[in-house]
């Protein structure tokens, strides 16, 4: 099967490469990431992962498999998506500071015959972060392309995260164990 990763995320590309998968990247989709009114926050990543797959710009060939994924951070019932400005990133990081939150990542694997979606949740606890630590992170890293305004594998994860429960890779944005299971089930 020819694997197509429909994601612009460099972290997802890195993880799939580390899994030993050969794939191409084609992230063209007509799907718009708008959370439906009253949607369950924990179900949004699965909804978005499947939506990105269904909105792929062309039909799949018999020998192709499309991989899409989505991640959200949920803190005190609020979905923290990707911040659009440094000010929004600062607000998100202040909200996460000294608290425990959930990271939900979903992966969708679709062929021309079948579509399967799995979701995984991990729990992350941040130490209390000072304003100067938050400012340093925003200034030296790229929090605007990350759910919840942080990357666990970056400086802020190294100095600020005190506890995780669940898959590190789910927190990075791709539940790799579930992707492996879905791809294996295709054979």
């Amino acid at each position: 099967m020819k694997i197509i990763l429909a994601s612009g995320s460099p972290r997802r590309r890195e993880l799939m490469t580390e899994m030993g998968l050969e794939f191409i990247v084609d992230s063209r989709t007509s799907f718009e990431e708008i959370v439906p009114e009253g949607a369950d926050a924990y179900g949004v990543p699965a909804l978005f992962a499947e939506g990105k797959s269904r909105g792929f710009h062309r039909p799949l060939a018999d020998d192709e498999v499309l991989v899409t994924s989505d991640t959200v951070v949920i803190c005190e019932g609020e979905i923290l998506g990707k911040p659009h400005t440094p000010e929004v990133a600062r607000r998100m990081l202040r909200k996460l500071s000294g608290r425990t939150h959930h990271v939900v990542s979903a992966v969708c694997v679709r062929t021309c015959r079948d579509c399967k979606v799995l979701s995984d949740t991990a729990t992350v606890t941040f130490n209390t972060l000072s304003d100067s630590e938050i400012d340093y992170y925003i200034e030296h890293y790229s929090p605007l392309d990350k759910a919840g305004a942080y990357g666990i594998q970056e400086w802020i994860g190294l100095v600020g995260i005190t506890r995780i429960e669940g898959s590190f890779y789910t927190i990075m944005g791709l539940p790799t164990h579930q992707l492996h299971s879905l791809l294996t089930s295709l054979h």
Side-chain angles (χ1 to χ4, degrees):
M1 299 289 286
K2 295 176 186 169
I3 299 173
I4 303 166
L5 172 62
S7 173
S9 165
R11 289 158 301 284
R12 290 188 182 118
R13 287 193 303 267
E14 174 189 344
L15 291 174
M16 286 182 60
T17 299
E18 289 295 319
M19 290 176 71
L21 299 173
E22 291 184 21
F23 60 94
I24 63 164
V25 176
D26 184 348
S27 58
R28 294 174 284 174
T29 183
S30 61
F31 181 74
E32 293 185 37
E33 294 182 27
I34 300 170
V35 178
E37 189 72 31
D40 172 34
Y42 291 86
V44 167
L47 182 74
F48 282 9
E50 185 171 357
K52 291 173 188 179
S53 182
R54 300 281 183 201
F56 191 63
H57 68 98
R58 65 172 176 79
L60 295 175
D62 287 345
D63 64 343
E64 291 179 323
V65 58
L66 183 67
V67 175
T68 54
S69 188
D70 194 74
T71 301
V72 298
V73 170
I74 302 168
C75 185
E76 297 181 340
E78 180 185 356
I79 294 176
L80 304 180
K82 295 175 186 174
H84 299 291
T85 67
E87 293 74 30
V88 173
R90 192 170 287 107
R91 183 187 69 78
M92 287 181 180
L93 291 169
R94 282 186 181 133
K95 183 173 184 103
L96 297 172
S97 175
R99 290 190 176 92
T100 297
H101 63 276
H102 295 111
V103 179
V104 184
S105 288
V107 62
C108 177
V109 171
R110 184 168 67 87
T111 66
C112 63
R113 292 171 295 287
D114 198 13
C115 181
K116 295 179 182 177
V117 184
L118 290 175
S119 185
D120 191 48
T121 302
T123 304
V124 180
T125 302
F126 263 103
N127 200 357
T128 300
L129 302 168
S130 69
D131 285 344
S132 64
E133 289 170 326
I134 290 171
D135 290 342
Y136 175 84
Y137 180 68
I138 291 170
E139 184 178 327
H140 292 90
Y141 294 86
S142 302
L144 302 186
D145 73 336
K146 296 171 181 76
Y150 78 92
I152 190 169
Q153 71 282 6
E154 295 175 339
W155 180 83
I156 202 160
L158 296 169
V159 303
I161 292 177
T162 60
R163 180 177 177 87
I164 65 170
E165 296 174 44
S167 169
F168 181 86
Y169 303 106
T170 290
I171 301 165
M172 270 185 77
L174 184 66
T176 52
H177 61 291
Q178 291 182 326
L179 175 57
H180 177 75
S181 175
L182 289 172
L183 291 174
T184 303
S185 73
L186 293 175
H187 295 58

